[in-house]
């Protein structure tokens, strides 16, 4: 990315001025990250059952009410956010790592290596992700690790395609040709020259991947295939809320709104980064 | 055109074969055998062995694969481990129910998206564009199943206007109006779920058309915005939409998984999810294989349709 030129700074400021929603998004992400880190400061224990105060609506002492076991819903939302964000970030890291490796190797070496790897990408993208991810999830013991692995291992195809396409053009640049002529090792060239050049693409797609991982996790957990009790994520809280919809609609509303705000904010953050690293992309 | 068609079909065949290998491989890795559907634990081992030999499970894996593929191609999809019923019957009896939800919702979403996408794209950065764009951003961030839950709460529990479960009210199995009442909520959920990405697609297609030279020329000749839009832009914007329609073919099978689960709609989605929870591999693999076939077929049809209307493609491809 290099130094931030004056022109870029101006463009960034212009974007911030044009797109004020970004401030809200960034503020929300910061707040939700801090809240889930410091969730333990809540006066309530997320797992403390209180049968005398079941399904109480939002009030002064329980801001988001209580669930069917009398647990403070706000505290559970914060702990659930921890899980949702953790799944989002860690599975993004896994899928980015795989995608970047496959994409750069395929693009840099070309030939049969490229052919084999891209056919693999074709095959995996031909199976609808919902089917693929659910099928793989039955082979693993359900839980946090399984869901992170399933999402991380089977959502890297998009990054791989993007990175490969960029690598194809980067490897024709003179500094890469020079490094090759100097007989430097391919691994070194990829790490030292290719990856830094495709970094902007990687960062943009990684931000979007956090958002989509959170969405996938919530769908799977909603279907009962993701995070298992007593641990809960926003998706599994919605699963539980479904049977209580008639009596406690707030139990469905709150986690849903949290998912929307979080995913929306990550997408906005992605837009901002796009402006920052790809100034050409914002011609309006 | 014929050469291009043949070439694209030849590209699709190995992909299909590899996917069938993956489906078969996963079934092999699974902790149950297909034979478990036909036997009970108290059967004598010799009887089980004999039955295995009769269905060919004593053969080497590659032979089993070839036979399995042959049966699949002839439409014999085996038997469910859990219900012991024929998978092809189960699958194909549920498929129309899913299509019944997906087809109308997709058509409605496409119509709305073409209108809103053109409105947004023809005046980029305008008030309408900003409003539509914000709504799309929010829509993209909203889980479909949550929209479903909210609608169930509002129309099912609060207003008590619409049914929220299944396809028919008990005893009214042949009533079309009853079926339509049951369809309203799931179709709405699916339509809302498809809208944001489709609008974005049409919008960006419209924007790229407005930057073409022919638009500038028309403007220079003094054509009004409406003339440019309806005489020239619409036609070219709709071309890429063909691709979108083709690529949406697989949603006819898998497009309603979560929605079906919320509304207990007896379609492919609930069939698949029940099978997943019951480790019913023959069913799982059938859905997996068929949905992948639909993806490849959809891409193929989209490419061919596109080449038909835009001859530049096949000379490049």
């Amino acid at each position: 990315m290099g130094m931030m030129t004056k022109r870029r700074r101006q463009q960034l400021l212009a974007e911030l001025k044009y797109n004020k929603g970004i401030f809200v998004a960034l503020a929300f992400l910061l707040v939700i990250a801090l809240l889930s880190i410091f969730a333990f400061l809540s006066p309530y224990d997320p797992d403390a059952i209180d049968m005398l105060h079941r399904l109480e609506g939002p009030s002064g002492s329980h801001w988001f009410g209580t669930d069917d076991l009398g647990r403070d819903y706000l505290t559970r939302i914060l702990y659930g956010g921890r899980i949702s964000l953790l799944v989002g970030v860690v599975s993004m890291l896994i899928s980015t790592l795989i995608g970047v490796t496959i994409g750069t190797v395929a693009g840099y070496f070309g030939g049969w290596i490229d052919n084999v790897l891209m056919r693999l990408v074709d095959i995996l993208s031909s199976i609808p992700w919902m089917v693929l991810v659910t099928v793989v999830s039955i082979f693993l013991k359900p839980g946090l690790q399984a869901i992170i692995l399933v999402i991380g291992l089977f959502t890297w195809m998009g990054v791989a395609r993007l990175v490969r396409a960029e690598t194809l053009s980067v490897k024709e640049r003179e500094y890469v040709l020079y490094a090759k002529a100097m007989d430097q090792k391919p691994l070194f060239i990829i790490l030292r020259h290719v990856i830094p050049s495709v970094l902007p693409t990687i960062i943009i797609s990684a931000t979007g991947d956090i958002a989509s991982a959170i969405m996938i996790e919530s769908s799977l957990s909603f279907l009962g295939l993701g995070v298992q009790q007593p641990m809960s994520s926003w998706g599994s809280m919605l699963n539980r809320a479904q049977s209580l919809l008639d009596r406690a609609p707030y139990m469905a509303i709150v986690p849903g709104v949290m998912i929307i705000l979080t995913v929306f904010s990550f997408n906005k953050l992605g837009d901002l980064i796009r402006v920052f690293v790809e100034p050409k992309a914002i011609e309006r | 055109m014929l050469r291009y068609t043949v070439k694209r079909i030849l590209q699709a065949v190995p992909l299909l074969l590899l996917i069938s290998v993956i489906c078969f491989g996963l079934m092999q890795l699974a902790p149950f055998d297909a034979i478990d559907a036909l036997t009970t634990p108290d059967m004598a081992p010799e009887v089980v062995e004999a039955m295995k030999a009769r269905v060919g499970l004593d053969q080497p894996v590659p032979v089993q694969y070839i036979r399995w593929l042959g049966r699949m191609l002839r439409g014999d999809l085996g038997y469910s481990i859990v219900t012991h019923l024929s998978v092809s019957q189960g699958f194909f009896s549920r498929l129309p129910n899913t299509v019944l939800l997906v087809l109308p919702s997709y058509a409605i979403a496409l119509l709305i998206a073409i209108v809103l996408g053109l409105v947004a794209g023809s005046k980029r950065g305008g008030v309408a564009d900003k409003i539509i764009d914000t709504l799309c951003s929010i829509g993209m961030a909203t889980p479909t199943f949550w929209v479903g839950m909210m609608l169930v709460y509002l129309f099912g529990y609060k207003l008590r206007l619409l049914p929220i479960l299944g396809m028919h009210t008990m005893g009214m199995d042949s009533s079309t109006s009853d079926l339509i009442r049951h369809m309203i909520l799931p179709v709405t959920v699916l339509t809302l779920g498809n809208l944001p990405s489709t609008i974005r697609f049409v919008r960006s297609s419209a924007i790229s058309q407005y930057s073409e030279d022919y638009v500038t020329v028309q403007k220079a000749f003094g054509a009004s915005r409406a003339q440019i839009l309806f005489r020239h832009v619409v036609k070219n914007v709709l071309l890429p939409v063909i691709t979108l329609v083709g690529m949406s073919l697989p949603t006819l099978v898998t497009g309603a998984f979560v929605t079906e689960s919320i509304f207990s709609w007896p379609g492919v989605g609930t069939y698949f999810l029940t099978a997943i929870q019951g480790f019913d591999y023959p069913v799982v693999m059938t859905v997996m294989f068929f949905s992948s076939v639909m993806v490849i077929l959809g891409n193929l049809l989209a490419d061919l349709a596109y080449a038909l209307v835009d001859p530049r493609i096949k000379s490049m491809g």
Side-chain angles (χ1 to χ4, degrees):
Chain A
M1 286 191 281
M3 299 264 272
M4 198 171 166
T5 61
K6 194 178 165 206
R7 184 149 170 262
R8 245 181 216 198
R9 196 158 41 221
Q10 278 171 350
Q11 268 171 336
L12 191 64
L13 289 175
E15 175 69 15
L16 287 174
K17 210 170 154 188
Y18 176 83
N19 211 335
K20 294 202 179 63
I22 285 176
F23 286 113
V24 185
L26 288 177
F28 177 78
L29 283 183
L30 194 68
V31 169
I32 198 66
L34 288 175
L35 281 176
S36 33
I37 292 169
F38 294 105
F40 60 88
L41 292 177
S42 158
Y44 297 99
D45 177 339
D47 299 319
I49 293 170
D50 180 356
M51 294 314 260
L52 293 176
H53 299 279
R54 297 171 62 224
L55 294 174
E56 280 180 3
S59 66
S61 51
H62 296 285
W63 292 357
F64 288 170
T66 58
D67 72 359
D68 50 325
L69 296 175
R71 300 175 293 193
D72 179 55
Y73 212 53
L74 172 60
T75 312
R76 291 193 67 75
I77 284 283
L78 297 180
Y79 277 87
R82 263 187 187 185
I83 301 298
S84 292
L85 290 174
L86 185 76
V87 172
V89 172
V90 179
S91 39
M92 175 276 286
L93 289 176
I94 298 175
S95 73
T96 306
L97 186 73
I98 302 176
V100 169
T101 310
I102 302 242
T104 46
V105 167
Y108 184 83
F109 292 104
W112 68 269
I113 299 182
D114 184 29
N115 246 322
V116 169
L117 291 177
M118 285 304 111
R119 285 303 82 75
L120 180 67
V121 171
D122 283 348
I123 293 168
L124 287 178
S125 357
S126 293
I127 306 172
W129 70 262
M130 186 78 200
V131 177
L132 183 65
V133 170
T134 25
V135 168
V136 175
S137 70
I138 60 174
F139 284 91
L140 300 166
K141 200 174 148 287
L144 185 61
Q145 282 172 345
I147 192 134
I148 290 178
L149 277 180
V150 163
I151 300 175
L153 293 179
F154 293 96
T155 54
W156 50 266
M157 290 80 81
V159 199
R161 281 207 175 112
L162 287 174
V163 169
R164 171 184 172 268
E166 287 236 345
T167 307
L168 283 178
S169 84
V170 168
K171 77 169 178 185
E172 300 300 331
R173 290 193 195 150
E174 282 178 3
Y175 56 88
V176 178
L177 294 175
Y178 180 74
K180 263 190 199 169
M182 296 308 289
D183 216 16
Q184 283 178 339
K185 295 242 175 350
L187 181 66
F188 179 81
I189 301 179
I190 287 179
L191 289 178
R192 183 76 181 76
H193 299 300
V194 176
I195 289 185
S197 309
V198 295
L199 200 59
T201 311
I202 299 173
I203 295 174
I204 293 171
S205 103
T207 327
D209 281 354
I210 297 183
S212 51
I214 292 176
M215 284 290 246
I216 299 176
E217 185 277 327
S218 68
S219 302
L220 285 179
S221 294
F222 175 72
L223 294 172
L225 297 164
V227 176
Q228 305 289 317
Q229 288 285 335
M231 192 184 273
S232 60
S233 70
W234 292 332
S236 66
M237 294 174 85
L238 284 171
N239 176 321
R240 203 179 175 88
Q242 198 187 7
S243 53
L244 299 160
L245 201 52
D246 193 14
R247 291 155 69 198
Y250 60 89
M251 276 180 67
I253 296 173
V254 182
V257 171
M258 296 304 281
I259 294 175
I260 297 174
L261 288 173
T262 310
V263 173
F264 181 86
S265 303
F266 273 115
N267 286 338
K268 278 276 172 237
L269 181 67
D271 290 348
L272 183 69
I273 296 174
R274 191 186 304 273
V275 174
F276 184 65
V277 295
E278 261 178 24
K280 271 176 281 172
I282 47 155
E283 286 164 20
R284 309 186 188 277
Chain B
M1 189 65 207
L2 186 70
R3 258 190 72 191
Y4 180 73
T5 311
V6 172
K7 194 180 151 200
R8 282 294 285 110
I9 292 175
L10 286 181
Q11 280 172 348
V13 170
L15 206 57
L16 279 174
L17 280 176
L18 281 168
I19 286 175
S20 74
V21 171
I22 293 183
C23 286
F24 185 77
L26 281 172
M27 239 192 311
Q28 289 290 312
L29 288 173
F32 299 112
D33 266 337
I35 197 75
D36 294 331
L38 302 168
T39 56
T40 51
D42 50 304
M43 278 182 174
E46 307 84 70
V47 180
V48 175
E49 284 306 314
M51 284 180 81
K52 275 191 177 179
R54 212 178 60 214
V55 292
L57 278 172
D58 56 339
Q59 301 285 321
V61 175
V63 176
Q64 284 188 42
Y65 166 73
I66 302 282
R67 287 187 177 174
W68 171 79
L69 192 65
R71 282 201 304 273
M72 284 287 270
L73 292 175
R74 271 179 275 127
D76 173 10
L77 307 172
Y79 293 88
S80 154
I81 293 180
V82 177
T83 61
H84 298 217
L85 295 172
S86 147
V87 175
S88 37
Q89 220 171 12
F91 181 73
F92 288 109
S93 69
R94 281 165 180 83
L95 191 57
N97 298 345
T98 298
V99 173
L100 195 63
L101 284 190
V102 175
L103 211 55
S105 64
Y106 208 82
I108 300 170
L110 201 59
L111 278 178
I112 301 178
I114 288 174
V115 174
L116 292 184
L118 281 171
V119 168
S122 61
K123 200 149 190 284
R124 201 177 179 189
V127 182
D129 186 25
K130 275 189 184 167
I131 294 173
I132 292 172
D133 190 57
T134 309
L135 289 178
C136 284
S137 301
I138 296 171
M140 296 271 234
T142 312
T144 318
F145 60 85
W146 187 75
V147 178
M149 288 171 82
M150 293 297 108
L151 292 181
V152 164
Y153 177 68
L154 194 64
F155 292 100
Y157 291 133
K158 262 267 120 99
L159 304 172
R160 301 196 176 279
L161 276 177
L162 291 166
I164 51 169
L165 285 179
M167 280 178 81
H168 300 284
T169 312
M170 283 280 255
M172 296 175 73
D173 287 325
S174 53
S175 157
T176 315
S177 65
D178 182 56
L179 174 65
I180 291 175
R181 272 167 53 78
H182 279 84
M183 279 171 65
I184 295 177
L185 286 182
V187 168
T188 310
V189 172
L190 281 173
T191 308
L192 290 174
N194 280 328
L195 262 182
S197 58
T198 322
I199 293 179
R200 288 242 158 118
F201 187 88
V202 177
R203 174 182 178 268
S204 64
S205 166
I207 287 172
S208 72
Q209 283 304 320
Y210 270 103
S211 63
E212 292 278 336
D213 288 341
Y214 72 85
V215 174
T216 321
V217 171
Q218 291 291 328
K219 271 187 196 156
F221 280 133
S224 71
R225 292 193 67 84
Q227 275 174 333
I228 298 178
L229 177 66
F230 289 110
R231 276 201 207 144
H232 306 280
V233 174
V234 169
K235 199 173 60 188
N236 290 314
V237 165
L238 294 185
L239 277 187
V241 172
I242 298 175
T243 326
L244 195 66
V245 172
M247 291 197 297
S248 313
L249 191 66
T251 58
L252 286 178
V253 182
T254 55
F257 271 30
V258 186
T259 311
E260 283 178 10
S261 135
I262 299 169
F263 296 99
S264 304
W265 189 267
V268 176
T270 39
Y271 187 52
F272 178 74
L273 290 169
T274 317
I276 285 273
Q277 271 142 9
F279 300 99
D280 198 345
Y281 304 109
V283 176
V284 171
M285 294 311 147
T286 300
V287 177
M288 187 173 170
F289 187 65
F290 264 88
S291 53
S292 313
V293 170
M294 295 296 262
V295 174
I296 295 169
L297 200 65
N299 289 344
L300 183 71
L301 288 177
D303 283 358
L304 292 181
Y306 207 88
L308 203 64
V309 292
D310 188 347
R312 282 173 301 178
I313 303 290
K314 61 181 178 229
S315 55
M316 289 191 304

